[in-house]
Amino acid sequence: MADPIVIIDYDAGNLRSVQRACAEVGARALISNDPARVRAASRIIFPGVGAAGSAMASLRRNGLADALRSAVDDGKPVLGICLGLQISLRHSEESDTETLGLIPGETHRFRLDRPELKIPHMGWNEVRPVRPHPLLDGIEPGDEFYFVHAYYPAPEDQACVYARTTYEDDFAAAVGRGNYFGVQFHPEKSGRVGLRLLDRFTRWDGQC
């Protein structure tokens, strides 16, 4: 049987739903806050909900920030989800937080002009691939994923943006570089289209 996926536990919630979604696509997933397990994992899911400042404090306190960077440097396939994507960039406006720096760029707070649009952006929204990636194979026009967030990723290099979504303005909904891929939406809460993405991740070799 294949090695289990490691889901990083850094006190940022939503872990069990990710684990259950992995089980639905036939993948074993282990929740762990052990840096050694993260370094030894064959592939990693880096989920999360919550605040950037407290998330980074937990990652540093438990040695998980360095373990995750090492895993990325070693070529392990990594999937960031929501907060996991946001803190994979270099800096977050949330609490003016220095983050992991896996991808150059910043995470910004929504600033909306239309009063009918609320923060956080919550609910189903269309995701539009803008360049091919193995994890986005099969996404069709009109396919929607579930979002819950007040901040959004803004990579410096637009070649890192693989899909976009509109909430008043366009923003990056999927960001990747090499063996790292992150999504602002929650695939584990996105029904069949989300499960298909997770299934593709369980078989992805980390190559674009």
Side-chain angles (χ1 to χ4, degrees), residues 1-7 19 22-23 25-30 42-43 202:
M1 185 176 290
D3 292 339
I5 295 166
V6 171
I7 300 171
Q19 188 181 43
C22 288
V25 299
R28 294 190 303 146
L30 170 72
S42 60
R43 62 190 66 239
T202 68

Side-chain angles (χ1 to χ4, degrees), residues 73-87:
D73 288 344
D74 288 343
K76 307 289 180 65
V78 176
L79 175 64
I81 297 174
C82 195
L83 179 63
L85 166 58
Q86 293 174 4
I87 61 176

Side-chain angles (χ1 to χ4, degrees), residues 5-136:
I5 295 166
V6 171
I7 300 171
I8 298 181
D9 179 2
Y10 60 109
D11 304 316
N14 205 41
L15 305 179
R16 296 293 177 189
S17 60
V18 175
Q19 188 181 43
R20 286 193 296 270
C22 288
E24 282 201 49
V25 299
R28 294 190 303 146
L30 170 72
I31 296 171
S32 179
N33 63 0
D34 181 351
R37 282 191 181 274
V38 172
R39 286 189 173 92
S42 60
R43 62 190 66 239
I44 296 162
I45 297 179
F46 182 39
V49 294
S54 58
M56 285 305 305
S58 177
L59 287 166
R60 293 185 181 115
R61 183 172 60 249
N62 295 316
L64 291 166
D66 287 340
L68 180 58
R69 290 189 187 101
S70 294
V72 171
D73 288 344
D74 288 343
K76 307 289 180 65
V78 176
L79 175 64
I81 297 174
C82 195
L83 179 63
L85 166 58
Q86 293 174 4
I87 61 176
S88 294
L89 277 73
R90 184 181 294 146
H91 180 268
S92 176
E93 287 186 351
E94 189 173 23
S95 303
D96 191 20
T97 304
E98 295 303 312
T99 46
L100 290 167
L102 301 178
I103 293 179
E106 298 195 351
T107 295
H108 298 307
R109 181 172 173 81
F110 281 115
R111 293 172 176 83
L112 305 176
D113 293 325
R114 290 165 54 190
E116 71 272 19
L117 296 179
K118 306 301 181 185
I119 300 173
H121 169 215
M122 182 180 299
W124 296 86
N125 208 337
E126 182 180 7
V127 170
R128 306 183 306 278
V130 294
R131 67 184 71 245
H133 191 280
L135 298 192
L136 301 178

Side-chain angles (χ1 to χ4, degrees), residues 81-201:
I81 297 174
C82 195
L83 179 63
L85 166 58
Q86 293 174 4
I87 61 176
S88 294
L89 277 73
R90 184 181 294 146
H91 180 268
S92 176
E93 287 186 351
E94 189 173 23
S95 303
D96 191 20
T97 304
E98 295 303 312
T99 46
L100 290 167
L102 301 178
I103 293 179
E106 298 195 351
T107 295
H108 298 307
R109 181 172 173 81
F110 281 115
R111 293 172 176 83
L112 305 176
D113 293 325
R114 290 165 54 190
E116 71 272 19
L117 296 179
K118 306 301 181 185
I119 300 173
H121 169 215
M122 182 180 299
W124 296 86
N125 208 337
E126 182 180 7
V127 170
R128 306 183 306 278
V130 294
R131 67 184 71 245
H133 191 280
L135 298 192
L136 301 178
D137 284 351
I139 293 181
E140 300 176 353
D143 278 349
E144 294 185 330
F145 291 78
Y146 191 80
F147 291 80
V148 183
H149 62 120
Y151 293 78
Y152 63 93
E156 290 177 5
D157 184 357
Q158 290 305 297
C160 292
V161 177
Y162 283 88
R164 304 190 71 83
T165 295
T166 301
Y167 194 62
E168 188 170 84
D169 295 317
D170 278 2
F171 66 89
V175 174
R177 187 169 71 168
N179 52 300
Y180 176 88
F181 194 78
V183 295
Q184 182 56 66
F185 50 84
H186 288 271
E188 77 282 4
K189 296 181 179 180
S190 297
R192 61 176 181 80
V193 291
L195 291 177
R196 286 205 304 263
L197 188 150
L198 284 173
D199 181 55
R200 287 189 290 272
F201 175 71

